[in-house]
Amino acid sequence: MDQKRAVIIAVMAILISSPSFASATAAVAGFTTPTYTPSTCFGKENKGNMIALLGGSMWNNGGYCGKTLSVTCVDEPQICKSSLTVNVIVVGYCNNCDGIDFRLSNEAFDQISYESSRRAKVDYVFQ
């Protein structure tokens, strides 16, 4: 019985220390529509269509420019399209993020949430 308990404790420790479980932060995400350039972080350099714009204190004076943000929808089933995680690159500051923490590109938001919802509760991790 002690060996079984030790295995369970070891597995729980691994799961808890995993970045996807331990450091996920709750937020509210919205979406933005093209065009995605120019951007605050990269000017006219195109970083594709899987991008994010950070608002408020998340912006951190551009400290997260170029970082990858992994985002998972955790809202109600009628808002979340799937439990997939999307990876986006932080490309700029969100000027119109009132009531939300960041905006995903329309393409990224569409993978995890229905566009008609306009915003979704998410968990995110900086990679």
Side-chain angles (χ1 to χ4, degrees), residues 39-112:
S39 68
T40 313
C41 298
F42 299 101
K44 293 182 180 180
E45 183 181 346
N46 185 341
K47 290 295 183 181
N49 62 8
M50 297 299 284
I51 56 99
L53 304 173
L54 304 183
S57 62
M58 280 188 73
W59 173 238
N60 192 29
N61 293 318
Y64 292 114
C65 282
K67 300 285 185 194
T68 299
L69 187 65
S70 295
V71 184
T72 306
C73 188
V74 295
D75 214 316
E76 302 294 323
Q78 64 269 23
I79 294 175
C80 293
K81 188 180 278 186
S82 74
S83 59
L84 292 176
T85 297
V86 295
N87 293 318
V88 294
I89 297 171
V90 175
V91 298
Y93 178 71
C94 180
N95 290 321
N96 57 347
C97 271
D98 296 333
I100 61 174
D101 299 296
F102 56 87
R103 291 195 182 276
L104 299 173
S105 61
N106 188 53
E107 293 83 355
F109 190 83
D110 187 55
Q111 288 187 25
I112 61 171

